[in-house]
Amino acid sequence: MISRDSIVALSSGRLPAGVAVIRISGPRTRFVVETIADGMVKDRTTVLRKFRAPDGSVLDNGLVVFFPGPASFTGEDVAEFHVHGGRAVVTRMLETITGFDGVRHAEPGEFTRRAFLNGKVDLVETEALADLVNAETEAQRRFAVQNAEGAQSELYLSWRRRLVHARAMIEAEIDFADEDDVPGSVSDTVWSDVRTMIGEIDRHVAGFRAAEIIRDGFEVVILGAPNAGKSSLFNALARRDAAIVTDEPGTTRDLLSVVLDLDGLRVRLTDTAGLRDAPGKVEAIGIEKARAKADRADLLLLLQDVADPQEVDSLPMAIPTLRVGTKFDLLDGQAARDADSRYDHTISVVEGTGVGALLAEIGQRAASAAGDVGDILPSRLRHVELLGEANRHLRRAVDDRAIGQELRAEELRLAADRLGRIVGAIDVEDMLDVIFSQFCIGK
């Protein structure tokens, strides 16, 4: 795709900063570089130049590098100006560059969109670039890098190639059954491979929850009766006073969340209102929110004051739960030993006892739920939905023999079509605005 206009944007971080990177892409890039940098620069070589406006006034001193298309990120001529990261410098540079005819400010994700339209990246790699930009933990970074390098795309394209071959074999058997160069009855081999693929896709889709945990975080919810020590534990794990702690029941009435980085995995910890009967009107809303949050959790921490244990009911049975005895410093001797045997963990936030062991188990649970970060997993719900549609077509092709070979071959085509849509090989125009709107301006 050849763009008629050029786009420019700040591609580095928030200002002010030590250095700011301004990126331009499009047919006017070379002219802008020649004008502002006082002459052209050698391809792919960073050089120090004095940047001037068309009227000769000095804008800044900095570095410039030029990447000629199509061997660039967008597939077009691309240049970067590395300038001092003051707001006034960046503003003046952008004003000057957009003052050239045919140059305008970029829209969110427009650089990457041009890269996609010029065949430099596919949709899955595009989404992985967005994940890489937004990565906060080591697991998120590794997952995004793997997908940005094409591992996920290659898996989907390999399935698509197998289906194209399978369909060709079936149609060849239909059209040229009497020819000597067409193997006799290839159907059994084709449908056996399709059944194998159905299993492969099912196992791949089953990994989506692990991918969600890597990308969005492992959800841990703290539950318990009022004054069970929930907010104290929440503050201890967050390592700051994120929640108000008092002896008055019902202090916590809304959900409070912090994000932890445990061995490279994102863990979201949520403090909730104390669960009890006959609460006040406002407190009842908080309790309802707590129960709804618990239903969506990956792990529950059910806290109980070891010196004054109070039971809570109606907890979700399907969610893994750790029973945690709090205020362990109030007990000693046999009472302490008895309490220790009743819980998965006993802790004292006051003395710091047991908190480290609890945090370590949360990290282990998160790592187990995320699995091997190196696994190829579906990284978006969009992928899962299209993979599900592909498998439904494949199952119809395999199971519904009464429809005849022609219609079964058509089901193979429809399945291959769904796989192609994941990577953007076909019919994706309606998805582009949604995907690229998630990017920052300079990407």
Side-chain angles (χ1 to χ4, degrees):
M1 183 196 77
I2 300 177
S3 303
R4 288 182 294 182
D5 53 0
S6 297
I7 54 174
V8 64
L10 173 67
S11 290
S12 53
R14 182 178 301 175
L15 302 177
V19 176
V21 179
I22 296 172
R23 176 186 287 173
I24 179 172
S25 176
R28 299 287 286 170
T29 299
R30 182 180 294 271
F31 178 74
V32 170
V33 171
E34 290 175 343
T35 304
I36 289 182
D38 193 24
M40 198 52 199
V41 299
K42 186 178 179 180
D43 295 353
R44 296 179 181 80
T45 301
T46 304
V47 296
L48 177 64
R49 289 288 176 88
K50 182 172 288 187
F51 303 140
R52 297 180 182 274
D55 63 6
S57 61
V58 176
L59 301 171
D60 194 15
N61 293 312
L63 302 175
V64 60
V65 58
F66 177 75
F67 305 93
S72 69
F73 172 65
T74 64
E76 305 171 333
D77 286 349
V78 174
E80 290 181 357
F81 297 95
H82 297 218
V83 299
H84 293 93
R87 291 189 176 89
V89 174
V90 171
T91 298
R92 186 73 178 96
M93 285 288 294
L94 291 173
E95 287 176 347
T96 299
I97 295 172
T98 54
F100 288 91
D101 290 339
V103 183
R104 60 173 174 80
H105 290 286
E107 297 176 358
E110 192 168 3
F111 286 94
T112 307
R113 182 168 186 152
R114 291 190 178 197
F116 167 74
L117 294 174
N118 287 322
K120 309 301 288 187
V121 292
D122 63 33
L123 277 187
V124 174
E125 292 166 344
T126 294
E127 291 165 330
L129 286 175
D131 288 342
L132 190 57
V133 170
N134 294 318
E136 298 176 340
T137 67
E138 175 61 13
Q140 290 173 333
R141 184 196 66 79
R142 289 171 55 194
F143 185 58
V145 166
Q146 177 180 251
N147 291 336
E149 291 180 342
Q152 191 180 357
S153 297
E154 178 53 34
L155 176 63
Y156 300 151
L157 290 173
S158 69
W159 283 335
R160 187 168 183 260
R161 286 193 294 268
R162 284 164 64 183
L163 289 181
V164 171
H165 176 74
R167 182 186 171 205
M169 291 297 97
I170 293 297
E171 292 183 346
E173 185 177 78
I174 294 171
D175 296 336
F176 307 106
D178 296 332
E179 298 292 335
D180 292 337
D181 58 346
V182 177
S185 188
V186 299
S187 298
D188 291 343
T189 301
V190 168
W191 299 125
S192 176
D193 184 55
V194 171
R195 290 188 185 91
T196 299
M197 191 184 304
I198 290 172
E200 293 172 0
I201 293 175
D202 280 339
R203 288 189 292 273
H204 178 70
V205 169
F208 180 57
R209 182 58 196 140
E212 282 188 308
I213 289 172
I214 294 171
R215 290 184 65 248
D216 302 328
F218 184 76
E219 294 284 347
V220 180
V221 176
I222 303 175
L223 296 174
N227 287 342
K230 299 184 299 301
S231 295
S232 295
L233 175 61
F234 180 77
N235 288 341
L237 295 179
R239 297 183 180 179
R240 61 186 176 90
D241 291 335
I244 298 173
V245 178
T246 72
D247 293 331
E248 180 181 344
T251 300
T252 302
R253 297 187 175 188
D254 207 347
L255 302 179
L256 298 176
S257 294
V258 294
V259 174
L260 310 178
D261 184 339
L262 300 185
D263 294 326
L265 284 170
R266 189 174 195 265
V267 175
R268 181 180 294 277
L269 182 70
T270 301
D271 186 21
T272 63
L275 305 180
R276 63 172 175 172
D277 296 330
K281 184 175 181 180
V282 175
E283 190 180 350
I285 297 174
I287 292 174
E288 183 179 348
K289 287 184 177 181
R291 294 191 183 278
K293 185 69 174 179
D295 288 336
R296 303 189 300 272
D298 297 303
L299 177 66
L300 301 179
L301 303 183
L302 180 57
L303 272 56
Q304 198 171 60
D305 182 345
V306 295
D308 182 23
Q310 299 180 41
E311 297 291 338
V312 295
D313 55 13
S314 302
L315 296 179
M317 301 298 293
I319 309 297
T321 302
L322 290 177
R323 292 178 57 82
V324 180
T326 63
K327 308 180 185 180
F328 194 61
D329 55 289
L330 300 180
L331 302 181
D332 55 21
Q334 187 61 43
R337 289 190 289 274
D338 290 344
D340 199 36
S341 66
R342 295 198 304 270
Y343 300 97
D344 298 307
H345 290 270
T346 50
I347 65 171
S348 168
V349 172
V350 173
E351 297 180 347
T353 306
V355 176
L358 175 60
L359 189 62
E361 179 158 357
I362 293 172
Q364 292 167 3
R365 297 264 184 151
S368 177
D372 187 347
V373 177
D375 290 343
I376 301 176
L377 306 172
S379 55
R380 291 289 194 284
L381 180 60
R382 179 180 75 84
H383 306 166
V384 172
E385 291 173 344
L386 287 168
L387 288 167
E389 290 180 23
N391 251 6
R392 284 192 289 275
H393 287 297
L394 294 182
R395 286 192 171 91
R396 279 198 288 270
V398 168
D399 297 336
D400 198 352
R401 300 185 179 185
I403 63 176
Q405 293 284 61
E406 293 89 346
L407 291 180
R408 296 175 77 187
E410 174 64 10
E411 294 292 346
L412 296 182
R413 185 193 69 79
L414 292 172
D417 171 271
R418 299 310 186 270
L419 294 173
R421 292 187 184 195
I422 298 177
V423 297
I426 50 174
D427 192 23
V428 295
E429 188 63 33
D430 57 338
M431 292 184 279
L432 296 186
D433 289 340
V434 174
I435 291 174
F436 291 108
S437 66
Q438 301 171 26
F439 282 77
C440 55
I441 295 292
K443 192 64 178 173

